[in-house]
Amino acid sequence: MEQQKLEQLLSNMTIEEKVGQLMQFAGHFYATNENRDPVTGPEDLQVSSISVNRSGSVLGSAGAERNREIQERYLEQSRLKIPLLFMADVINGFRTIFPIPLGLGSSWDPKLVEEAQAISAKEASSAGVHVTFAPMVDLVRDPRWGRVMESTGEDSFLNEEFAKASVRGFQGDNLETDLNRVAACVKHFVGYGAVEGGRDYNKVDLSERELRENYLPAFQAALSAGCELVMTAFNTVDSIPASGNQKLMREILRKEFDFNGVLISDYGAVEELIPHGVAADGKEAAKKALLAGVDIEMMSLCYENHLKELIEEGEVPEDLLDEAVMRILQLKNKLGLFENPYRNASARNQEKNINCPEHRKVARKAAEKSCVLLKNEDVLPLSNEKIALIGPYAHNRDILGEWSIFGKQEEAVTLKEGIAQHTSNYVYALGCPMYERSEEALSEAIKAAKDSTHIILALGEGRDWSGEGRSRTSITLAENQLELLRELKKIGKPIIVVLFNGRPLELTEVEGLADGILEAWHPGSEGGAAIANLLFGKANPSGKLTMSFPRTTGQIPVYYNAYNTGRPLPKGSTGRFFSRYIDAPNEPLYPFGFGLSYANFQYESLQLSSNELAANGTIDVQVLVKNQSDYSGEEVVQLYIRDMVGEVVRPVKELKAFQKVFIPANETKQVHFSITEEMLRYHHANLEYKSDAGEFMVFVGTNSADVLSQSFDLK
Ligand code: GLC
């Protein structure tokens, strides 16, 4: 539909119809069939059918037949025939479920993530979804926060790469003509991952420099890839809740980032301006949110109940309402909904596209590439050992992760089923339930272990310990699981621990007792098959951590791109007056970028084409990576840079490039990078974004701690 027709449509709308377009209600408000959605919020809204019948979009409803029926019934009664938008959380897959984003990020493979999210979009669009509330690009340095599972970790550069890849995967090149795609909604704008104490929905207090250096770039990256929507965060920024924060939303997002798409609040976040204490009532909340530029109010009624009155009283100009409505109409138009309100939704498309073998194959590949080998004392890969497969995750289908709303656990492949594809020489024992001890299960497991040569111990966090509203004050495994490990250790057989979890865990005790550790995250539909392929060497682990694993919860926050401080602790020093702890080292147990392989990659001869960089020039970086093993495999070669002297303090190193390269057994690969002046820019004291002449270090290696280094000068 041409723009002037949209303008004509807007001019024909009553103010009630305009306000209606800004409302979003959960699917069960519309469902006419018996299987209504469970209430997803803290309590259900009391809203009239009149409001529902003039709303603009639907939250969390999927299924071709269901959404077609809702759309049809809605349009029948709609005066202006403006179709509904269907939005849902398709975070790491729709029905074919991929590893949680913290796992996908550990693949360090943006192309793979783009492929995975294209599959998510194809399946979701077949089921009548038009918009996904993804990618979540919150930078996270605190694994106590349950939503770390939804992020790609502690580094801005990596988050930017995955933000772009996800938007490309979801949206493709042309949303209107490519019906297998969905519009993406980058979230949560901004800073949600920095909640104080890792406690969900808590205060966030970041300097503007911190925001611009670490928390905003991934949003800019998503927008640069054409992301159509942005979602506001629940938290405050500079003591103003994001959903009422004009500086964030009007000045930075809309003006500076030139974002003209739809801004949607998070669930109830407009009304939450009241408990935050910046709005006395729903009317004031509505005013603040609209002035801040929030277009859609998700699952609260401030706009519905007060916007008309605010406009009639001259409290807010009707232009702001018209702008919001126009952005929503333009999004519906971009999706071609006026011409085809059903887009890709059909039983036939569902049958053809959802959970098909080729999608499962990609899910298995993604899970293989997302797993991170943390320890291997020559116990892996396995061949024909007699295995005792033990633990609450040994034969458990609940491995889809906390944001797998539309996934089906019964379609997940368990670790036991995966292992059975490689050997029949194994016995299975539960060992213990997820969170409590069982004398009987323990003794059965000990007996099974005594009759075997190797133990695979599948432990982790239940999905009910992960995700939104699931912050933890301690990030260890449950005590009963640690006891199971300790008891099995007494038997004296090699133990390979496989971890199913949604956050970096405190693994110091596990590290001391296990001979092998494979971090599998919540690995999705094909998790068991992928893990077994890795354990038996059919695939070679290539994942690398995108978040540091603390030695103890007390170390949090611990992250690689930290400041040196005025009293950096000299290596090996036990001196008192340095930046250190008296009861633990400063370093994490596993650093950012860490991950082992069955191959043995050695780095040699880091060379720079010059030790001087002209402002408009480049320095070519070359390093040799030798695979001194009989295992071919992929290695993530990482390049970091340090600005030795800045106008403000600069981190001890920052990831600036990486390449995931395949190196055949016993071969060497020459890996090249280019350094440009642009990579050296940062926000100065006055927040100007530029580089300074001076000395820089460049580090290249297999993780953020194990690197070769050289220096160069920017002229
Ligand atoms: C939730 C989450 C948000 C999600 C939304 C809709 O509270 O914060 O990420 O997209 O509500 O389910």
Side-chain angles (χ1 to χ4, degrees), residues 270-521:
V270 170
E271 189 171 52
E272 287 175 12
L273 297 178
I274 301 169
H276 268 298
V278 294
D281 53 27
K283 184 174 179 181
E284 191 175 5
K287 177 177 179 179
K288 291 203 165 188
L290 194 74
L291 291 175
V294 175
D295 297 319
I296 296 179
E297 178 180 7
M298 184 196 293
M299 282 299 281
S300 59
L301 296 170
C302 302
Y303 283 2
E304 179 67 7
N305 293 340
H306 303 290
L307 261 192
K308 179 170 184 281
E309 185 188 352
L310 284 163
I311 289 168
E312 284 161 354
E313 290 168 359
E315 287 288 310
V316 293
E318 187 160 1
D319 291 357
L320 289 189
L321 173 61
D322 290 349
E323 282 171 22
V325 175
M326 181 50 74
R327 286 189 283 261
I328 295 164
L329 295 179
Q330 286 170 333
L331 176 59
K332 294 182 177 184
N333 196 38
K334 247 185 200 175
L335 286 158
L337 292 176
F338 289 101
E339 293 76 22
N340 170 11
Y342 307 104
R343 266 181 76 85
N344 215 25
S346 75
R348 183 175 166 284
N349 284 337
Q350 283 186 153
E351 182 58 34
K352 181 163 64 77
N353 298 330
I354 287 182
N355 205 33
C356 58
E358 47 277 42
H359 290 178
R360 303 271 316 199
K361 204 165 149 222
V362 177
R364 188 164 56 250
K365 178 178 69 170
E368 285 171 0
K369 288 172 174 278
S370 301
C371 291
V372 184
L373 184 59
L374 298 176
K375 184 174 184 182
N376 183 18
E377 298 289 314
D378 293 329
V379 287
L380 291 172
L382 297 168
S383 50
N384 58 0
E385 297 80 356
K386 185 162 179 9
I387 292 163
L389 172 61
I390 298 169
Y393 268 110
H395 188 41
N396 186 333
R397 297 192 191 286
D398 191 356
I399 55 174
L400 305 183
E402 183 47 16
W403 271 120
S404 54
I405 302 170
F406 308 105
K408 293 186 185 302
Q409 288 182 25
E410 60 270 29
E411 295 170 352
V413 179
T414 72
L415 180 53
K416 177 171 176 283
E417 290 163 342
I419 286 172
Q421 298 304 310
H422 294 269
T423 177
S424 53
N425 194 14
Y426 75 93
V427 288
Y428 161 70
L430 176 65
C432 69
M434 194 62 74
Y435 300 129
E436 61 273 339
R437 73 189 305 282
S438 155
E439 205 52 57
E440 184 190 352
L442 179 58
S443 56
E444 277 172 23
I446 289 169
K447 184 175 175 305
K450 283 179 175 171
D451 297 345
S452 307
T453 64
H454 285 65
I455 298 165
I456 296 177
L457 184 54
L459 304 173
E461 293 178 309
R463 85 183 238 179
D464 58 350
W465 277 18
S466 177
E468 184 174 352
R470 301 267 178 61
S471 300
R472 294 179 63 196
T473 57
S474 162
I475 56 169
T476 61
L477 287 170
E479 183 52 30
N480 65 299
Q481 293 186 27
L482 290 170
E483 184 203 14
L484 174 61
L485 170 58
R486 293 176 201 129
E487 290 305 314
L488 291 172
K489 183 65 180 176
K490 293 174 185 170
I491 298 169
K493 306 280 177 70
I495 299 177
I496 298 128
V497 171
V498 182
L499 293 166
F500 296 74
N501 45 290
R503 58 166 44 88
L505 293 175
E506 178 184 316
L507 296 177
T508 304
E509 182 177 5
V510 176
E511 204 285 331
L513 296 175
D515 302 278
I517 303 174
L518 183 69
E519 173 57 76
W521 313 110

Side-chain angles (χ1 to χ4, degrees), residues 530-598:
I531 295 164
N533 283 348
L534 293 167
L535 294 176
F536 284 87
K538 193 171 167 212
N540 186 353
S542 63
K544 300 275 185 180
L545 298 178
T546 65
M547 266 187 91
S548 311
F549 273 47
R551 291 174 191 278
T552 76
T553 305
Q555 270 189 324
I556 295 170
V558 57
Y559 49 94
Y560 87 94
N561 48 353
Y563 287 173
N564 201 34
T565 79
R567 294 197 176 188
L569 180 64
K571 206 165 178 61
S573 164
T574 56
R576 175 178 166 189
F577 298 103
F578 295 103
S579 181
R580 55 171 296 212
Y581 301 101
I582 59 170
D583 56 357
N586 288 357
E587 294 73 27
L589 182 63
Y590 303 115
F592 173 84
F594 180 83
L596 303 175
S597 167
Y598 297 146

Side-chain angles (χ1 to χ4, degrees), residues 99-150:
I100 55 173
L102 191 59
L104 285 172
S106 301
S107 71
W108 290 59
D109 190 341
K111 270 295 183 216
L112 171 69
V113 169
E114 181 176 343
E115 186 183 7
Q117 298 302 26
I119 288 170
S120 308
K122 189 170 185 178
E123 293 194 357
S125 64
S126 303
V129 174
H130 303 146
V131 175
T132 178
F133 295 129
M136 184 268 219
V137 299
D138 299 317
L139 185 133
V140 192
R141 293 167 165 165
D142 190 334
R144 291 172 294 181
W145 189 50
R147 300 195 73 163
V148 62
M149 51 75 62
E150 207 178 331

Side-chain angles (χ1 to χ4, degrees), residues 24 40 59 88-89 91 133-134 136 147 150 187-188 192 201 231 234 265-267 298 403 405 468:
Q24 180 174 103
T40 52
L59 164 64
D89 294 282
I91 309 293
F133 295 129
M136 184 268 219
R147 300 195 73 163
E150 207 178 331
K187 68 186 185 182
H188 305 81
Y192 188 14
Y201 317 118
M231 182 187 289
F234 287 120
S265 81
D266 202 339
Y267 193 111
M298 184 196 293
W403 271 120
I405 302 170
E468 184 174 352

